[in-house]
Amino acid sequence: MRRLAAEFLGTGMLVTVVVGSGIAAQRLSPNDVGLQLLENSLVTALGLAVLILLVGPVSGAHLNPAVSLADWVLSRRRAGGLSSTDLGAYVAAQITGGVAGTLLASVMFDVAPTLSTTPRATAGQLVGEVVATAGLVLLVFALARTTTTAVTAAAVGAYIGAAYWFTSSTSFANPAVTVARIFTDTFSGIAPASAMPFILAQLVGAAVGVALLLVLYPTADRTAARAVVPIRPDTTPQEHS
């Protein structure tokens, strides 16, 4: 339950960071969309790095169903990682946490929660989501082989911040965040009709990322259980259940 609470809290705060900074950027820079995106991406990159450090030792800081699914797939090859039961519970915690994060941001900024009217699912944007998610999954599991928690947090935050700019979709790269952003008609929102194509593109991207990982690092499945951040070894198995 502590692990699920950490995933709920971490994903919720991530969405609060994304949506809240998007609303603030809209208000502070109403006539400059480029500056709005810069503000939103910078805050998201920093916030994500902090959240990985915060909840990583408890749950691994997946904060993303695509990462959890990739962990589960890689774990089928060897012992360790998420079980099928864990995967379902993680995804549920991430999605509900994300929606709660959108509602929290709406309350803080006195914005009525409402469905987004921003369409995003063009062919180019869907390709962007495949690229963004593939790169994220590849990075996360490659880092699990060699780096420290601090480096992982910084690298993942930096990648998402950069992917805001080099992908046409502004790098959602996260099904839970995509669902959560349906419920805000602000700078960071996504129309319900665009959400499912985005999620399908993210799942394709996750599969591409896992395939690239196994090509570049054939033994990466041995360390999949350490993604995103290794759970502290002083946490007992009973506390993991």
Side-chain angles (χ1 to χ4, degrees):
M1 292 306 298
R2 289 198 305 114
R3 293 165 66 191
L4 297 182
E7 287 296 299
F8 178 91
L9 175 64
T11 311
M13 289 306 300
L14 173 59
V15 173
T16 300
V17 166
V18 172
V19 174
S21 64
I23 296 171
Q26 239 178 348
R27 292 179 178 179
L28 293 170
S29 311
N31 301 316
D32 192 332
V33 177
L35 184 55
Q36 291 173 17
L37 185 62
L38 177 62
E39 293 161 346
N40 191 211
S41 62
L42 179 60
V43 173
T44 299
L46 295 174
L48 177 57
V50 170
L51 289 169
I52 289 173
L53 292 173
L54 176 65
V55 303
V58 181
S59 68
H62 289 191
L63 314 183
N64 186 337
V67 172
S68 297
L69 179 61
D71 182 298
W72 178 82
V73 169
L74 290 166
S75 298
R76 298 313 90 200
R77 293 161 56 98
R78 296 180 184 273
L82 292 181
S83 67
S84 299
T85 302
D86 287 342
L87 174 62
Y90 262 50
V91 170
Q94 291 156 357
I95 292 174
T96 54
V99 173
T102 298
L103 298 178
L104 176 58
S106 299
V107 169
M108 288 195 298
F109 285 92
D110 296 312
V111 175
T114 185
L115 295 181
S116 175
T117 57
T118 304
R120 294 183 183 265
T122 66
Q125 288 172 319
L126 296 179
V127 172
E129 277 302 283
V130 172
V131 171
T133 311
L136 176 62
V137 168
L138 176 60
L139 175 66
V140 162
F141 289 94
L143 289 173
R145 301 174 63 256
T146 57
T147 60
T148 64
T149 299
V151 171
T152 296
V156 173
Y159 174 80
I160 291 297
Y164 259 77
W165 290 88
F166 75 75
T167 65
S168 56
S169 63
T170 67
S171 184
F172 284 46
N174 186 327
V177 170
T178 303
V179 171
R181 289 167 68 167
I182 292 173
F183 299 98
T184 179
D185 195 19
T186 59
F187 179 77
S188 56
I190 179 171
S194 298
M196 185 52 68
F198 254 53
I199 291 171
L200 292 175
Q202 290 157 2
L203 295 177
V204 171
V208 171
V210 169
L212 289 173
L213 177 76
L214 294 177
V215 169
L216 296 176
Y217 304 102
T219 61
D221 56 333
R222 297 177 184 175
T223 55
R226 298 208 296 265
V228 173
V229 174
I231 297 172
R232 287 175 59 87
D234 59 354
T235 305
T236 65
Q238 288 76 14
E239 290 174 320
H240 276 180
S241 61

